Amino acid sequence: MRAINDYSTCRDSVLNGYNQVSINSGSLFENDFFSYSNNCYSNVVSPPKVRPLNYDLHSYSVVNDVVRTILSPVPDRYKYEIPLGEEEQYQYKNRKNYENAYSFDNKQEVFRSNRNGSFDENYYRNKYEQRNLNEPYYYTDELYYRKSNWFTVRNHRDEYTDEQPRNPTSGTKTSPEINVGNKRNSLSPDNYLPRGKEEIARLKEELNFSSSMKQQFKDFFKEFKTKEKIGYEDAVQFALDSLKVLPLQMHWKVYLEIADLSKRENKFEKAQQFYVSVNTLQPYASKGWLEYAKMEEENGNLDKCSKILTDGLYYCPHSENLLVKGIKHGEKMGNIGHSRKLLSRLQDVSIDRSWRTIMEGGLLEARQGNVTVARKVFKYLISKVPSYGPIYTEAVRLEMRAEEYERALSIVNKGLKTIPNYGPLWFLALKIEEVLDGDYRQVVKSALDELSKELIWKLYYELAQIEDRKGNHSECLKAYVKSVLNCPANLVWKVWIGGARSELLCGNVKNARKLLSRAHLSVPEKMKASVFLDFARLEEYLGDIDRARYFLDKAKLETRHEWKIFLEAVLLEIRANNLEKALSEVKNALTIHTSTGRLWAVLIQLTHILNLENGISSQAEVFKEALKNVPKSGEVWCEGARIALYCGELEKAKRYLDFAIQFTPQYGDSFVEYMRYEILSQRDKPISEINFSTLERLCINAEPTYGVSWCHCKKNPTDSTMECLRVTKQIFMELEENGDEVLDFSRMVISKLDESSLDHAERFKTIYT
């Protein structure tokens, strides 16, 4: 993962050579946002005008000259992103013939035009029918391809790489099942003949289904899901047979469903073929490009994902989902400049259609550490589209991550004045008031007049949690009672569990057991595991380990599908310091849940602790086996980093930690180990002098929520990410002051889990987190 230590350096490199706009002159948001966006997002300027063509375009040498002119490098200050779409194909009104000029190195021929300047499609269709089948020609919408050379009037280059535009289906075999008797269904090159305005308009119109078509597809989808339960082959055959009766314009949706099923069945080659079919039949549907790109990204084909997103953005230039995906993918590839350049194309798009993408740009700047720019982006959005709640919530979370709670509360209050019935803002207001020791009860009273009935129970539930943390037991129980009275029947079990925990913490064991029994009676079947977990934790808290095991064994039989039950059985033995039994439990669990990363991580950790005297050979073998089963588990990669740190292989540890943070950013132990890596790699410096800015930025953006070491460093539920990092740093400094080496942090924490050495509150926290 590419870390940017100095954001200003990155930003200066993006802005180099552009007209500068002073950031300090006045309020940027009083003017048009994109006068500022020109500075932030690649500073789009007007491109140089192409000189008029006063000579015969049907001259082969002249066409090649045009090709060289258009494809020649452009000075840095003229680099810009051409808005993609069919409009630009026809915008050069003074050069109609120029749009249809194509040339080849080994064949002196240009595309012929009619007298009115439109493309003569029939001429080239007939010419194609007479083609030599051994010649690798491809026809696509605006491009004419040959194996060795091609030319397009618009310099449609790859957004992410320096490669030239490709045939959207190049390098991918088409599915033989696609040919079901209709020419539109065939993936033969006839479908790639250049489309004129009428064809483009027709394809876009086909995206709008009539009510009868929607019903037809709904019926098909219902039957398709039924066939899925029988088997993959039956479902696919049913879908292909349905093409004969479904309208032509719906066929791409059928192929999309087959592709999605193939992906879920791990038949990636088939899925790839069907995604190509979707994007060929209906290139203006963004979902096909998006799902195809996601699949390739999940499989690790990041370059191919880039190319698919490029093709998708060519046809759907202002698709919100594709733009957001492109921005995030550019960030993942370390190409922040490209992500900003994608944002710059929104200059001419209505703010109502682009605010989500611009908001993603603000979050991008925040993730890069440029909080000032992110604040200005959110300020602009709030001023232009004040009625959209997600803008306020993201702006508030930005301030909370920076520990600017007063700023956050100000934004919340501003949002509640504009949209007082937006629930997430009220819950954020409660959280901020708790952190600031404010009047959270007044917030609840105000919210009752504004929130919908469906959220009243949750409001009282959150109030009860706050009262519990404040130690106000009687007020806590009153809030739980009000929550029960307003709670839907299918959710009331959550309130019973919350009440049981509060009663247990106050020593009312009998009441706690009664409340858990009520929860067991009202919980839906698929959520039974959660109640069993609380039964087991209650007994463990009371010191009855055997009875806790009984409840977990019962849960394994009744909720065998839930891996959390098996993980809790392992953690129970670890907390009881029965490490050998814990190792046996986790091995048995992995015979059932082989794809659960957390179980593999615990197995590696236990093997590591129990075999320290034998070196690292045993845990290294377990680590390799885990990667075969769960290659994208951040927990597993974190354990691999711990092994590498133990062996002194710092570079390998760094690489493993990068993988861990990328795959599972919510796992807090990865950041604890990252700090240990930073300390070990700079042994010549005291811990107090080491710069942890990169780690802090990564951790703040990830907002970790779980992990044994992480929860050990999180002293209070309301502690911010930065506070947890400060506690972690303090622990390492204390080890340094005592002359101890920087130990395996997880081992140090596990050694403190002996319940006999913990006080009342610490034991409760250890069990229930």
Side-chain angles (χ1 to χ4, degrees), residues 471-607:
N472 304 324
H473 182 60
S474 60
E475 294 297 326
C476 168
L477 294 183
K478 289 178 183 178
Y480 274 130
V481 169
K482 292 178 180 178
S483 181
V484 168
L485 295 175
N486 290 277
C487 189
N490 64 321
L491 295 173
V492 72
W493 62 274
K494 292 185 176 182
V495 186
W496 297 132
I497 286 180
R501 291 181 180 180
S502 296
E503 292 284 16
L504 180 62
L505 192 57
C506 292
N508 301 326
V509 178
K510 187 176 180 181
N511 290 343
R513 284 199 171 110
K514 285 182 178 179
L515 290 172
L516 284 180
S517 298
R518 288 192 179 187
H520 185 260
L521 292 174
S522 59
V523 68
E525 191 66 30
K526 63 179 181 180
M527 298 303 297
K528 263 190 174 180
S530 299
V531 180
F532 278 123
L533 284 175
D534 266 81
F535 270 120
R537 287 167 178 168
L538 181 145
E539 299 300 338
E540 182 187 358
Y541 177 78
L542 296 174
D544 194 341
I545 303 297
D546 290 333
R547 190 163 176 79
R549 291 189 184 117
Y550 163 78
F551 280 112
L552 290 174
D553 290 340
K554 183 174 173 131
K556 288 177 188 177
L557 295 175
E558 295 189 23
T559 59
R560 189 180 177 86
H561 63 280
E562 184 54 73
W563 60 267
K564 290 182 181 178
I565 292 291
F566 293 85
L567 177 63
E568 186 66 22
V570 177
L571 296 178
L572 170 68
E573 302 301 340
I574 291 176
R575 290 193 290 265
N577 277 332
N578 299 324
L579 299 185
E580 293 288 352
K581 187 170 178 57
L583 185 63
S584 174
E585 284 282 351
V586 74
K587 287 180 178 179
N588 292 334
L590 283 169
T591 61
I592 301 170
H593 298 281
T594 55
S595 299
T596 303
R598 292 185 69 176
L599 288 173
W600 281 106
V602 171
L603 176 60
I604 298 169
Q605 195 173 88
L606 287 170
T607 308

Side-chain angles (χ1 to χ4, degrees), residues 708-742:
V708 175
S709 302
W710 182 257
C711 291
H712 177 76
C713 297
K714 190 169 186 175
K715 301 302 181 183
N716 298 302
T718 57
D719 282 352
S720 66
T721 302
M722 279 299 298
E723 179 60 27
C724 292
L725 286 177
R726 284 192 286 268
V727 171
T728 306
K729 183 178 177 180
Q730 185 62 37
I731 291 174
F732 281 126
M733 290 177 68
E734 289 173 2
L735 289 172
E736 184 184 47
E737 289 173 3
N738 295 332
D740 298 332
E741 293 199 16
V742 181

Side-chain angles (χ1 to χ4, degrees), residues 12-32:
D12 290 341
S13 66
V14 174
L15 301 179
N16 186 31
Y18 294 94
N19 297 328
Q20 300 296 320
V21 177
S22 173
I23 298 182
N24 299 321
S25 57
S27 175
L28 292 168
F29 292 89
E30 292 176 1
N31 305 318
D32 183 22

Side-chain angles (χ1 to χ4, degrees), residues 113-391:
S113 297
N114 291 331
R115 292 181 180 178
N116 61 2
S118 62
F119 182 72
D120 189 350
E121 183 174 324
N122 291 330
Y123 170 77
Y124 290 99
R125 185 181 291 277
N126 294 334
K127 185 176 182 60
Y128 174 76
E129 298 294 341
Q130 302 169 13
R131 75 195 187 285
N132 180 354
L133 292 178
N134 294 323
E135 289 291 326
Y137 279 81
Y138 298 97
Y139 291 81
T140 189
D141 298 342
E142 289 82 20
L143 307 175
Y144 179 71
Y145 287 87
R146 191 177 171 85
K147 186 175 183 180
S148 61
N149 196 6
W150 58 267
F151 169 64
T152 173
V153 296
R154 297 169 62 258
N155 184 12
H156 171 210
R157 69 177 189 82
D158 195 303
E159 303 278 356
Y160 295 87
T161 68
D162 293 330
E163 296 179 12
Q164 303 292 4
R166 318 159 296 109
N167 185 333
T169 60
S170 62
T172 303
K173 294 181 180 179
T174 56
S175 176
E177 294 98 332
I178 303 301
N179 300 308
V180 293
N182 188 290
K183 193 171 185 179
R184 278 280 313 281
N185 299 330
S186 172
L187 287 185
S188 68
D190 290 270
N191 285 331
Y192 306 137
L193 282 170
R195 294 170 178 144
K197 289 182 178 179
E198 294 80 6
E199 176 74 2
I200 292 171
R202 181 182 61 77
L203 282 170
K204 289 190 172 183
E205 182 62 30
E206 286 183 355
L207 289 171
N208 302 317
F209 296 154
S210 64
S211 56
S212 60
M213 287 181 180
K214 289 179 182 178
Q215 185 59 44
Q216 278 183 289
F217 185 78
K218 187 176 179 181
D219 295 339
F220 156 78
F221 184 75
K222 185 177 180 181
E223 186 64 24
F224 181 73
K225 287 296 180 184
T226 304
K227 296 289 184 182
E228 266 188 40
K229 298 176 182 177
I230 300 174
Y232 171 79
E233 298 297 337
D234 293 283
V236 171
Q237 190 57 50
F238 166 75
L240 294 174
D241 291 341
S242 300
L243 294 175
K244 299 174 184 177
V245 295
L246 289 172
L248 289 176
Q249 72 183 80
M250 298 181 67
H251 286 190
W252 68 272
K253 285 183 72 73
V254 176
Y255 293 136
L256 188 61
E257 293 300 330
I258 302 175
D260 181 61
L261 174 61
S262 301
K263 181 176 75 171
R264 285 186 275 113
E265 293 290 331
N266 294 329
K267 300 180 184 294
F268 296 114
E269 289 187 6
K270 285 283 186 184
Q272 189 181 62
Q273 294 167 13
F274 283 110
Y275 279 128
V276 168
S277 307
V278 172
N279 298 330
T280 302
L281 294 175
Q282 184 48 274
Y284 296 99
S286 61
K287 190 173 182 180
W289 300 106
L290 182 64
E291 295 301 323
Y292 191 10
K294 283 181 180 178
M295 183 187 77
E296 295 298 347
E297 185 180 52
E298 290 167 3
N299 290 337
N301 303 324
L302 298 184
D303 289 334
K304 190 165 186 179
C305 174
S306 300
K307 294 173 181 178
I308 293 166
L309 288 172
T310 298
D311 289 340
L313 286 168
Y314 181 81
Y315 292 102
C316 313
H318 299 134
S319 167
E320 181 180 283
N321 293 332
L322 279 179
L323 280 171
V324 170
K325 183 65 178 175
I327 290 165
K328 291 181 177 178
H329 187 72
E331 182 183 11
K332 182 180 290 187
M333 297 286 283
N335 193 351
I336 305 300
H338 165 69
S339 297
R340 293 193 180 102
K341 194 156 60 173
L342 283 179
L343 287 158
S344 69
R345 72 171 56 182
L346 299 172
Q347 301 180 72
D348 302 321
V349 181
S350 167
I351 190 67
D352 290 330
R353 292 173 52 201
S354 61
W355 66 267
R356 287 185 182 85
T357 312
I358 296 174
M359 183 174 70
E360 186 59 40
L363 296 174
L364 169 71
E365 296 296 342
R367 289 193 293 269
Q368 296 307 309
N370 198 359
V371 178
T372 302
V373 174
R375 282 174 176 154
K376 291 182 178 180
V377 172
F378 281 111
K379 183 179 179 182
Y380 163 76
L381 289 173
I382 289 172
S383 66
K384 295 294 183 182
V385 279
S387 58
Y388 292 108
I391 296 173

Side-chain angles (χ1 to χ4, degrees), residues 58-69:
H58 289 266
S59 164
Y60 173 70
S61 61
V62 170
V63 173
N64 273 341
D65 180 59
V66 173
V67 175
R68 285 192 294 272
T69 301

